[in-house]
Amino acid sequence: MSKQKSIANRGTVPNGIADQPSRQWRNRIVAHGEEDPEQLLANPRNWRIHPKAQQDALEGVLKEVGWVQSVIINRTSGFVIDGHARVAMAISRGERVPCVYVELSEEEEALILATLDPLSAMAGTDKELLAQLTADLPEAYKGLAAA
């Protein structure tokens, strides 16, 4: 029998959320595609910066594995919401970019742009599972696990 844990059992529900009436989440994804990165518009409100060490690590993973996450583009504004570093790297290499398109208002775009990375950063770490996961990684990637 598998030792996998259900994703549903790995987290907790914030106070009050479980008590609220159920409402189906809207699917804001309207399309998937591939684009020439030169045609993508950087979001002028993008607040993230990407230090060289992060860029080098990302480039290494992309070279070794390839694309596993699409760049998010708001079809309403035309701006990239997530994936600015990947787009910049694709431009320098002449690579096409896998994209997921969403349709958001200006206010919704600002909310997602402001919260997408911070929400991910709020996740905790299961140090035992991380150690198992990284034990066999090439030495060059082990530092990422400690970050």
Side-chain angles (χ1 to χ4, degrees):
M1 183 143 175
S2 172
K3 292 185 179 182
Q4 292 180 335
K5 295 180 183 178
S6 166
I7 290 175
N9 294 330
R10 299 233 353 124
T12 58
V13 177
N15 290 337
I17 299 261
D19 300 328
Q20 295 177 3
S22 176
R23 184 176 113 187
Q24 189 168 1
W25 295 339
R26 296 180 291 166
N27 182 357
R28 306 308 292 275
I29 299 169
V30 295
H32 296 269
E34 210 175 73
E35 295 287 346
D36 174 347
E38 295 275 1
Q39 302 304 309
L40 300 178
L41 300 174
N43 198 309
R45 296 185 294 177
N46 180 34
W47 57 276
R48 299 297 275 179
I49 56 172
H50 302 285
K52 180 157 178 21
Q54 181 196 24
Q55 292 176 40
D56 291 348
L58 178 57
E59 183 177 27
V61 171
L62 284 168
K63 282 180 179 177
E64 189 159 330
V65 178
W67 293 95
V68 297
Q69 184 175 10
S70 296
V71 169
I72 302 173
I73 301 169
N74 185 3
R75 193 174 262 175
T76 306
S77 69
F79 291 128
V80 170
I81 296 176
D82 184 58
H84 291 83
R86 287 172 278 150
V87 169
M89 288 179 182
I91 289 171
S92 70
R93 291 180 49 88
E95 300 252 352
R96 291 186 61 78
V97 176
C99 301
V100 60
Y101 302 92
V102 297
E103 286 186 353
L104 304 173
S105 70
E106 186 175 336
E107 294 80 16
E108 291 167 330
E109 178 179 296
L111 175 64
I112 298 304
L113 193 63
T115 61
L116 196 61
D117 288 338
L119 285 172
S120 293
M122 291 172 70
T125 301
D126 183 324
K127 292 182 182 190
E128 182 180 321
L129 283 175
L130 182 59
Q132 290 172 11
L133 181 64
T134 59
D136 295 326
L137 287 180
E139 201 59 42
Y141 297 108
K142 289 189 178 185
L144 292 175

